[in-house]
Amino acid sequence: MIELPDVERMIDAFAGYATGKTVSDVLIDDPNTANIDSDLCEERVKGHAIDTIERHGRYVVVRFRSDVSIVFHMGSEGEIFLESQTTPPDENSKIRLQFAAGRELRYSSTGSEGEIHLVEGEDFTGLGTLENLGLDPLSDELTAPRFVDLARTKPRSTLKGILLNQEIVAGIGNEYADEICFQAGYRPDLKVKDVTDEQLKRIHKYLRRVLRRATLHWQAAHADPGWLINRRKRGSACPRCTSTLKSMKLVGRKTYLCPRCQRAA
Ligand SMILES: [Zn+2]
């Protein structure tokens, strides 16, 4: 039986390679398992780069920069792994995402186990437990005290780690986690055990503010000269103080911060 840590490990094995790479072709070996609209796939998957790879419970979500995601439910023994394109797929292969360099990402599971969906935007409705993970960051349930309590369960995690933890708050990805830390004025690599409740409440406040704005006014938010999200490039200047932004790897993700505007405590 596949459990969360197994899915996590599986992702660890391929996410570093696949993130940022362009998918050159999609080969469907089992159309009964792979619920993939071929027109949408042609238009938004082939020739597009993978933005992030995330786990939601036992789902693996491969998000493309074209704002579609391929969602894999791992079933009881599904597996996603990298393989050379020259190795013939076995009878359990369901789908293969090929990269130009000669490798491919394969999903396999026995018989009719597992599911694969191609989803536009954030429309995960109907995908069972994927809808029910963590707290919705914009729901009334996620009050400041609740967020503090949830964060305190992971004292050794970083602020970014908490924001990206889908079991605490569902739906925050790499870029918004950085944006929230930037807007709140704290370094994303601060450890939860080193921040006060008041500081966590401030993170909560900006978490809501950033996500609400990004949800309701996506275009405006992404065009806002005061937002970090528009400066995610090597050597970019901080939108506030014009210092050169710093990048680092945190929680396995490319992270941007301003060493001047974001405080260490
Ligand atoms: Zn700055």
Side-chain angles (χ1 to χ4, degrees):
M1 187 78 175
I2 302 254
E3 295 292 337
L4 298 188
D6 306 308
V7 182
E8 199 75 55
R9 215 171 51 233
M10 227 181 268
I11 292 177
D12 278 347
F14 67 78
Y17 178 85
T19 304
K21 285 213 169 46
T22 297
V23 169
S24 54
D25 207 359
V26 178
L27 305 176
I28 293 174
D29 296 317
D30 178 5
N32 292 324
T33 304
N35 175 23
I36 302 282
D37 180 279
S38 56
D39 290 343
L40 190 59
C41 181
E42 204 65 57
E43 194 181 302
R44 309 267 284 276
V45 176
K46 290 182 194 175
H48 291 275
I50 292 175
D51 187 20
T52 59
I53 295 163
E54 299 155 11
R55 178 185 60 72
H56 296 255
R58 287 195 291 137
Y59 287 92
V60 172
V61 180
V62 176
R63 279 182 205 270
F64 288 80
R65 293 190 184 145
S66 53
D67 200 28
V68 293
S69 299
I70 297 184
V71 179
F72 301 88
H73 188 271
M74 305 315 293
S76 58
E77 52 181 10
E79 206 183 344
I80 303 181
F81 54 98
L82 285 166
E83 186 59 89
S84 163
Q85 289 169 19
T86 56
T87 306
D90 67 19
E91 61 186 17
N92 295 323
S93 179
K94 308 292 188 196
I95 193 170
R96 290 171 281 153
L97 307 183
Q98 301 196 314
F99 303 105
R103 297 180 87 183
E104 61 189 24
L105 201 57
R106 288 188 184 175
Y107 172 89
S108 75
S109 70
T110 49
S112 59
E113 274 276 344
E115 303 165 30
I116 307 160
H117 304 273
L118 179 58
V119 169
E120 277 191 280
E122 299 291 325
D123 185 17
F124 295 122
T125 45
L127 299 187
T129 53
L130 188 52
E131 295 174 86
N132 304 319
L133 289 161
L135 286 177
D136 185 307
L138 297 178
S139 75
D140 293 340
E141 282 176 289
L142 190 68
T143 59
R146 186 86 190 272
F147 179 71
V148 172
D149 288 346
L150 288 167
R152 291 286 179 220
T153 65
K154 310 274 181 203
R156 288 186 302 164
S157 174
T158 57
L159 290 181
K160 180 155 182 175
I162 290 294
L163 293 171
L164 289 179
N165 188 327
Q166 302 298 314
E167 287 157 53
I168 290 181
V169 184
I172 300 177
N174 190 39
E175 297 191 358
Y176 290 115
D178 285 0
E179 190 68 45
I180 292 161
C181 291
F182 177 75
Q183 298 290 341
Y186 297 120
R187 287 179 64 102
D189 54 351
L190 262 175
K191 292 274 204 317
V192 170
K193 65 181 174 57
D194 297 328
V195 300
T196 63
D197 284 2
E198 287 313 307
Q199 289 173 316
L200 285 172
K201 284 179 184 165
R202 185 173 163 89
I203 291 282
H204 170 266
K205 176 176 151 185
Y206 281 91
L207 177 165
R208 309 262 295 190
R209 190 174 283 185
V210 165
L211 295 177
R212 191 175 292 132
R213 177 128 194 263
T215 308
L216 298 175
H217 307 288
W218 192 91
Q219 275 172 329
H222 282 251
D224 189 326
W227 274 39
L228 180 72
I229 209 160
N230 308 308
R231 308 284 181 106
R232 301 181 63 87
K233 273 201 300 281
R234 196 187 169 88
S236 286
C238 169
R240 290 207 177 135
C241 74
T242 73
S243 294
T244 304
L245 294 174
K246 192 176 161 180
S247 65
M248 60 162 72
K249 195 110 170 174
L250 204 58
V251 208
R253 313 286 185 83
K254 184 89 166 176
T255 299
Y256 287 89
L257 67 138
C258 174
R260 254 176 91 180
C261 297
Q262 291 174 259
R263 292 184 290 148

